[in-house]
Amino acid sequence: MKLDILAVGAHPDDVELSCSGTIAKEVDRGKKVGILDLTRGELGTRGSAEIRDKEAKAAAEILGVVMRHNLEFSDGFFENNTAHKLEIIKILRKYKPEIVLCNAIEDRHIDHGKGAKLVSEACFLSGLRKIETIMNGNKQEAWRPKHVFHYIQWKNLKPDFVVDISGYLDKKVESVLAYRSQFFDEKSNEPETPISSSNFLDSITYRAQDMGRLINKEHAEGFNVDRNVAVDSIFDLI
Ligand SMILES: [Zn+2]
């Protein structure tokens, strides 16, 4: 199966929090989108890895993505090393995404910036044919995605471009709320965390509203790039 977009997150829920409006919109337009989680989020204060697995599956169904895979790297401790790059290269060569969305270049959680660099470097290396990878006994073909875009998550980074997600905010919030164990729940007896407050839940909406306001649309999501963004014509910009 070939993907149009592969969205990668260090933890299950990173993708939903940051770029699920963009994903829902492209799925609606007929694009094939997949999600790759690097870890199971087993160090999360609330819930457990098993609960997160179920929540991630439910969120994937809400967004209508065609695949979701977890590489089960070590939450908090995974490294940007050869073994992990090769694991990601295998996925890239298997699904051949045109665009890869990955974590913010820098963020509050150390796994985000680390994951961003790891995925970005794997995308480059995946295009080098002399790096051999085998899947199901077959040698894989080299594949380099056309673009790697970093979604903005916790920190208010200045985006290099924004995507209009008007009409898709409800879907975004619904996919985030699939992670019931993590976010605001009046009835929960679990410890408070930076993301379990009602303020944080509200911030998903107001940040999308604010990003939208800046481009004269209802809601938007912001991204950063490693390379300059190019357009064929300046009329391509909305
Ligand atoms: Zn995260």
Side-chain angles (χ1 to χ4, degrees):
M1 176 177 39
K2 177 171 160 40
L3 292 176
D4 296 300
I5 300 172
L6 179 67
V8 190
H11 313 107
D13 77 13
D14 286 347
V15 164
E16 288 80 0
L17 287 167
S18 314
C19 62
S20 54
T22 302
I23 289 176
K25 187 174 187 178
E26 294 303 337
V27 166
D28 231 13
R29 291 175 166 185
K31 298 290 188 202
K32 279 203 164 65
V33 184
I35 298 176
L36 177 68
D37 301 306
L38 300 184
T39 76
R40 294 173 72 204
E42 64 270 22
L43 293 186
T45 307
R46 293 159 72 111
S48 65
E50 291 71 26
I51 291 172
R52 298 283 285 273
D53 289 346
K54 285 195 192 115
E55 293 171 338
K57 194 162 174 280
E61 276 165 24
I62 290 164
L63 292 174
V65 299
V66 291
M67 61 74 73
R68 182 165 206 153
H69 182 70
N70 197 307
L71 285 173
E72 300 188 18
F73 293 168
S74 174
D75 188 8
F77 295 99
F78 72 82
E79 292 176 2
N80 180 357
N81 60 21
T82 306
H84 286 150
K85 282 193 190 100
L86 286 170
E87 287 299 308
I88 295 169
I89 290 170
K90 279 188 199 172
I91 300 290
L92 293 169
R93 290 176 172 179
K94 179 177 180 188
Y95 293 104
K96 299 181 166 40
E98 301 293 330
I99 293 175
V100 167
L101 306 177
C102 63
N103 282 110
I105 292 168
E106 59 152 306
D107 222 348
R108 170 182 166 272
H109 198 301
I110 57 162
D111 281 352
H112 294 175
K114 192 169 48 171
K117 204 160 185 335
L118 167 62
V119 172
S120 183
E121 288 176 6
C123 285
F124 173 78
L125 293 171
S126 177
L128 301 179
R129 62 181 62 194
K130 286 197 175 164
I131 297 176
E132 285 194 13
T133 52
I134 307 283
M135 186 167 267
N136 302 325
N138 299 315
K139 198 178 147 205
Q140 293 184 296
E141 275 177 36
W143 178 264
R144 184 173 294 149
K146 274 201 202 99
H147 302 288
V148 178
F149 300 138
H150 300 270
Y151 48 75
I152 293 172
Q153 190 167 337
W154 181 272
K155 284 192 181 177
N156 277 318
L157 303 181
K158 187 179 183 315
D160 294 318
F161 71 91
V162 296
V163 176
D164 174 13
I165 59 156
S166 303
Y168 293 90
L169 183 73
D170 289 350
K171 199 78 149 175
K172 178 183 174 104
V173 172
E174 196 188 341
S175 74
V176 168
L177 289 176
Y179 293 89
R180 270 210 192 130
S181 68
Q182 301 303 304
F183 300 114
F184 182 65
D185 177 359
E186 269 175 328
K187 292 180 197 123
S188 174
N189 295 321
E190 296 229 52
E192 283 284 317
T193 71
I195 60 169
S196 71
S197 66
S198 66
N199 179 309
F200 179 77
L201 201 53
D202 293 345
S203 76
I204 295 164
T205 297
Y206 68 67
R207 285 184 72 179
Q209 277 172 336
D210 195 45
M211 201 75 87
R213 178 182 62 82
L214 296 171
I215 58 161
N216 210 20
K217 300 284 177 190
E218 211 174 338
H219 301 113
E221 287 173 333
F223 295 84
N224 289 118
V225 291
D226 295 322
R227 293 187 307 179
N228 286 341
V229 179
V231 289
D232 183 39
S233 154
I234 48 174
F235 289 97
D236 289 345
L237 298 166
I238 59 169

